[in-house]
């Protein structure tokens, strides 16, 4: 099993002209080699029966069915974003690529839309608008974000008047700043 693909192999049967594989709705399937590859749904159990069919049916009989059960793996879902540093984000091209950034809020410009500077050890970038995880704008107050907090966002790389920025950033996580006593 590899992902949602099940590969059945078996020892060749003497005098077999073909093999019949059955067990799934669009089967049986006749194959000439002792191998069959099936693509199914993810995380699903399948049971197959394989029968050897003789080339010379006058002198040999169809074999008993061999049965095997296999379960496909869970689908691997790639993240819809690329995790980067601020420096990598600033160097990126302006396109639809979604980036995930984590840094400290070092300047708050607008608390209605959530415009702020995000700084990590590699640099600072202006974020034009903080949105809810679902994309609703004006999420700053609801997020609880404030100066000094560490925030994780997902955003695309844009620019305004030649200056790079993130726009309409999706809120991911907030770690409040705590002053040491």
């Amino acid at each position: 099993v590899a992902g949602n693909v099940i590969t059945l192999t078996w020892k060749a049967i003497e005098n077999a002209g073909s093999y019949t594989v059955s067990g799934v709705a669009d089967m049986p399937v006749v194959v000439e080699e002792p191998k069959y590859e099936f693509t199914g749904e993810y995380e699903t159990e399948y049971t197959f029966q394989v029968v050897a069919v003789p080339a010379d049916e006058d002198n040999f009989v169809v074999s008993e069915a061999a049965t095997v059960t296999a379960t496909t793996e869970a689908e691997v879902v790639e993240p819809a974003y690329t995790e980067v540093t601020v420096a990598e984000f600033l160097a990126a091209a302006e396109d639809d690529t979604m980036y995930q950034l984590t840094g400290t809020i070092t300047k708050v410009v607008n608390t209605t839309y959530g415009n702020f500077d995000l700084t990590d050890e590699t640099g600072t970038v202006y974020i034009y608008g903080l949105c809810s995880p679902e994309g609703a704008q004006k999420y700053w107050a609801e997020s609880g974000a404030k100066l000094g907090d560490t925030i994780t966002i997902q955003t695309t790389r844009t620019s305004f008047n030649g200056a790079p920025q993130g726009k309409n950033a999706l809120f991911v996580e907030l770690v409040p700043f705590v002053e040491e006593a």
Side-chain angles (χ1 to χ4, degrees), residues 57-120:
E57 292 188 35
D58 292 334
N59 294 311
F60 298 97
V61 295
V62 172
S63 73
E64 291 184 25
T67 303
V68 65
T69 299
T71 302
T72 55
E73 299 170 334
E75 185 173 7
V76 176
V77 179
E78 296 297 324
Y81 60 86
T82 302
E83 197 166 335
V84 295
T85 64
V86 169
E88 291 167 328
F89 180 79
L90 294 172
E94 288 187 45
D95 58 25
D96 292 334
T97 303
M98 184 66 79
Y99 297 98
Q100 181 165 297
L101 302 160
T102 298
T104 303
I105 299 169
T106 53
K107 181 179 181 183
V108 178
V109 179
N110 177 303
T111 57
T112 300
Y113 286 95
N115 302 349
F116 63 98
D117 283 349
L118 182 141
T119 303
D120 71 6

Side-chain angles (χ1 to χ4, degrees), residues 6 14-15 78 111-112 127 138 150:
I6 298 171
E14 188 176 350
N15 299 313
E78 296 297 324
T111 57
T112 300
I127 304 301
K138 299 181 181 179
T150 298

